[in-house]
Structures are given as structure tokens and as C-alpha cells.
Amino acid sequence: MHAVNPAATQTSQAEQSAISKISWRLVPFIALMFFINFLDRTAISFAGPNGMTADLGLTAAQFGFAAGIFFFGYIVLEIPSNLALHKFGARKWLARIMVSWGIVSLLFTWVGSATELYILRFLLGIAEAGFFPGAILFLSMWVPSRHRAKILALFYLAQPLTTVIGAPIASALIQAHGAFGLEGWRIMFFGVSIPAILVGIVTWFYLPDTPNDARWLNRDEKDWLNGELAKEDKVKASGHGRMTGAALKDGRVWLLSAIYFGLIYGLYALAFFLPTIIAGFEQKFGTKFDVFDKGLITAVPYLPAAIALFFWSRDASKRGVRVWHIGIPALVGALSIPLALSMNSPEATIAVITVTACSIFSALPNFWSIPGRFLSGAGAAAGIALINTIGNLAGFAAPYITGAVRDATGLFELPMYIVGGLMLISAILAFSIGGKVREPLPAA
């Protein structure tokens, strides 16, 4: 018989309990912040077809520009914001970001022209700059790489669930048209802004910066986390993981940026124009839906997407993330999204769009487990921010190009072929990663 090693048993128990506590006490709160973040940045997609476009006299291209100009403001400050988070700590910096964007988002309640809309969307991007890569960096600094795919998947569930829950909420607020003398879409902007301010204030008091600051971790758990993270940092720092400039020049960072561009192009083409596509069912198929019905239909693709994300990421956690955990979903999305608008019924259209949503959301959390394999410290802050910055160029391009091509052709088919082409490039690049990045073997 083999003797039981008490130290090994203690370490195993500390590992299990530490990851479990992070999964229940930390990740849901960060996911709540992400939920509010995505709802605030995509609220314009619900406002557009429900009165805002008509009230402000917007064309499809102008609406797309307003949706996309957010990302110009976001990109301007993204890398500096992530470096500031690394310097000042997540608690203070993420709280500041949330309160800032909540205040700007609130001002949409009183927007009166296309120009004012452009300005506020640009300022909203500046206010939100650094939140998403900051959240990814923060979680990466808390868990060893072999557990990162699982933690990021739990965090990423907030994004599809934002639409599952948020679309009906936004629609219900829009149906409060006339309250306080405001149009329904203005009431919606007001209603989705207040939670950002309130949760931002709570963040200041609730969020611990490091495992040592977490009162809900015991000493064994803190020692295990600190030891594992220190070992990983030492390995990465032996290369150039800690060097900001070297990380920004690393070819792997730019390859990942290109992959992310195609995935985000698909995500935001879907996010900003799905409500408009659904509103067009009346003309195309002769259907009749009220505002709340349209909100529920908008939510339909995202619940299966959340389920697909969970199970695909769970498989990735068991096996360790492989290139096909990113490449296969990107390929399926590339093939499905142009197909959606060739369907001959609303039900078939939504069914194919659901496949697209499942594909995009299955790829994203597994994608974000990769940068932390070879980046650490300030290099991780800069590298992750750069990947997100390049990706968010697609956040501008997707709605603007989709709207402009829709205006030029009168149809959504060609813009969706563009989406499919870019996602196909992402799939090809994902399969090309191969052995360029490595990760430790998954936990037994």
C-alpha cells in the first residue's frame, strides 16, 4: 500500500475549495458587472427600431455609425485603462469605470439629434474603456491557467444571458411609453443606466484586488493560489511575459487579435441588427409582433447560446483548450450566418441565427483562456488590451458596414456574407495556432 501524503491531500483540498469559492463569490459578481456592461452598450439596438430611429431621423448607415462610434472612444483609452487597473487595482478602477459609464448612459434619456447621439456614444466608449479586458485580466490574475477556461466560461455566460434577460426588460421599459412625458425608448435608456451606477458603488466595497485581500479565503487557500500563480508568472517572466513593449510586438498577440476581430464582427453585427432584422419580418413575411413580442424573439437565440457556451467550455476545461475549441465554432458561425436570411419563414431564420449565436459564444471564452498562457504582469495587461482593441475595431466596422451596405442594397443578405467571410478567416487562423501557445495539462 502507498502511504498518503498529508501535504498533497491538504494541497488538493485547498485547490478545490479555493476554486469553488472563487466560482461562487467572485465570478458571479464580475459577471453581473459584465451583464450591465453589455446591456448598456447594446441598448441602442433595442431603441433603434422602437422609436429612436424615427424620432431622430436616422438612416441605417447613421444608426450603424452611432452604434459603432462607441468603439472609437473605447479604443482610445483601452490600453492605458488596463495598465491603470494593473497599477491601482481592480476594485477602484472597475468601480470608477462603472459609475462613469452609468452617468453617460443616463444622458441618452435626453438625446435630441443624430449629432448628440454620436457624441454620447463616443463618450460612452471612453467611459467603458478597459472594463472588459480589465475583467479578463483580473480573473486571469486570480486562477491558474488549468482552471481559467472554466472560470472564464462562467464569466462569459453573462453576455448571452444579457439578451435573454435584458431584451424582455428593455422591451417592457419601452412599453412604458408616455411615463414622465418621455418616449418609451428614452425610459429604457434611463432604466438600464441606474444599475451601472449602483453596482459601481458596491464594487468599491465588495471586490478584493488579490487573494490576500479576500476575507472569504482561508490561509491554506491563499497560500495555494499565491504559490501556483507565482510559479506560472516565473515561467512566463523567463521569456518576455512581463515586458509591455515586447508583449505588444509578439506575433502571437497579433494573430490572436486577428482571430478576435472576426469573432467580434459577427457578435456585434448580430447584437446591433438582430432587433432590426426581426422588425423587418412584418414586411418580409407579413407577421405582426408587438414590442414585447419582438423582445422575446430577440432573446430566443441567446438561451441556447448560453447552454452551448457552458457545455463546450466544460469540454475545453476537461481536455485543455485546443485550437478546435475555437476553430470549429468559428467555422460553423461563418457558414450559418449568411444562410439565415435566405430562409423562407421567421422560425427558420431564427433557428439558423440561433446556430450562429451558439457558435460565436462557444468560441469566445475559450479564446480568452489563451493569452494568459504566455503573458503575465504588465505584459498581460498590455497584450490583452491590444487584442481587445483590435477586436473592437470590428465593433465599429460591423454595425457601420452592415448599415451602409443595407442602405445601398436594401437588403441584409450581402452584409451577412461579409460577416461570414470574416468569421471564416478567424476559423482558418484559429486552426493555424497549433503549437504557438502552450498551457499546462488540465487538472485530473
Side-chain angles (χ1 to χ4, degrees):
M1 293 181 64
H2 295 287
V4 176
N5 186 333
T9 302
Q10 185 179 23
T11 299
S12 177
Q13 291 173 347
E15 177 177 0
Q16 292 175 11
S17 60
I19 298 301
S20 177
K21 286 181 180 179
I22 291 170
S23 299
W24 286 104
R25 292 176 179 258
L26 193 63
V27 177
F29 187 78
I30 301 293
L32 173 63
M33 297 165 71
F34 188 28
F35 176 97
I36 297 168
N37 173 257
F38 195 67
L39 182 59
D40 278 359
R41 74 168 60 177
T42 57
I44 191 174
S45 69
F46 303 111
N50 291 296
M52 186 188 75
T53 296
D55 291 346
L56 301 184
L58 303 175
T59 66
Q62 287 176 314
F63 173 79
F65 183 78
I69 198 173
F70 164 94
F71 294 98
F72 274 135
Y74 196 94
I75 288 167
V76 167
L77 292 180
E78 187 156 21
I79 292 177
S81 179
N82 229 31
L83 292 173
L85 181 144
H86 179 72
K87 180 178 180 179
F88 298 115
R91 178 178 62 86
K92 294 178 181 178
W93 200 250
L94 293 179
R96 194 281 305 163
I97 290 174
M98 288 200 76
V99 173
S100 298
W101 97 56
I103 292 170
V104 175
S105 181
L106 192 63
L107 297 177
F108 281 80
T109 307
W110 299 281
V111 67
S113 68
T115 300
E116 290 178 10
L117 182 65
Y118 298 157
I119 292 170
L120 284 178
R121 286 288 295 177
F122 179 77
L123 291 176
L124 184 65
I126 289 176
E128 287 193 21
F131 171 78
F132 178 77
I136 294 290
L137 174 65
F138 176 69
L139 291 173
S140 298
M141 291 164 56
W142 270 76
V143 291
S145 62
R146 64 178 176 272
H147 295 286
R148 204 166 286 147
K150 172 188 174 182
I151 294 297
L152 291 177
L154 293 174
F155 163 71
Y156 237 107
L157 277 173
Q159 196 168 40
L161 291 178
T162 297
T163 306
V164 173
I165 301 169
I169 291 174
S171 299
L173 289 169
I174 289 168
Q175 286 188 312
H177 181 82
F180 310 108
L182 296 172
E183 293 89 348
W185 61 270
R186 296 183 187 274
I187 295 170
M188 185 271 298
F189 275 123
F190 184 90
V192 300
S193 301
I194 298 301
I197 299 172
L198 297 179
V199 174
I201 294 170
V202 172
T203 299
W204 185 277
F205 299 98
Y206 178 82
L207 198 66
D209 282 315
T210 68
N212 287 332
D213 300 321
R215 297 179 180 178
W216 35 268
L217 290 173
N218 62 38
R219 175 46 55 191
D220 288 340
E221 293 159 351
K222 291 178 181 179
D223 288 344
W224 178 80
L225 280 169
N226 289 329
E228 289 295 305
L229 294 169
K231 283 191 289 186
E232 289 189 1
D233 278 352
K234 184 177 180 180
V235 171
K236 289 180 283 190
S238 65
H240 59 254
R242 290 189 177 276
M243 298 169 60
T244 301
L248 296 179
K249 296 175 183 177
D250 193 307
R252 294 172 296 181
V253 171
W254 288 96
L255 176 62
L256 292 174
S257 299
I259 296 169
Y260 193 54
F261 183 94
L263 295 175
I264 292 300
Y265 195 100
L267 173 67
Y268 282 113
L270 194 67
F272 285 123
F273 278 96
L274 180 57
T276 301
I277 292 170
I278 291 169
F281 285 171
E282 182 171 345
Q283 180 179 353
K284 186 174 182 179
F285 301 116
T287 55
K288 296 286 185 181
F289 302 116
D290 64 21
V291 173
F292 193 72
D293 290 336
K294 292 174 185 175
L296 291 176
I297 295 168
T298 301
V300 166
Y302 291 90
L303 182 57
I307 295 170
L309 181 160
F310 177 79
F311 284 105
W312 191 251
S313 296
R314 189 167 76 168
D315 181 81
S317 295
K318 289 179 179 179
R319 299 174 188 266
V321 175
R322 304 292 186 255
V323 293
W324 50 265
H325 282 114
I326 303 162
I328 290 177
L331 180 60
V332 173
L335 298 175
S336 63
I337 197 162
L339 182 64
L341 295 182
S342 66
M343 297 293 101
N344 57 7
S345 71
E347 294 81 6
T349 302
I350 292 299
V352 179
I353 288 175
T354 298
V355 173
T356 305
C358 289
S359 301
I360 294 170
F361 284 107
S362 293
L364 286 171
N366 295 312
F367 171 88
W368 278 116
S369 70
I370 293 177
R373 298 180 188 178
F374 61 94
L375 295 171
S376 67
I384 289 172
L386 175 62
I387 294 167
N388 202 48
T389 296
I390 300 300
N392 279 312
L393 289 173
F396 169 76
Y400 180 67
I401 293 173
T402 301
V405 177
R406 166 67 175 79
D407 279 345
T409 64
L411 300 169
F412 275 109
E413 277 77 1
L414 182 55
M416 293 303 106
Y417 278 106
I418 295 172
V419 174
L422 289 169
M423 290 191 66
L424 179 59
I425 293 172
S426 288
I428 294 169
L429 292 176
F431 283 116
S432 78
I433 293 173
K436 293 182 175 68
V437 290
R438 301 287 185 186
E439 70 172 348
L441 293 174

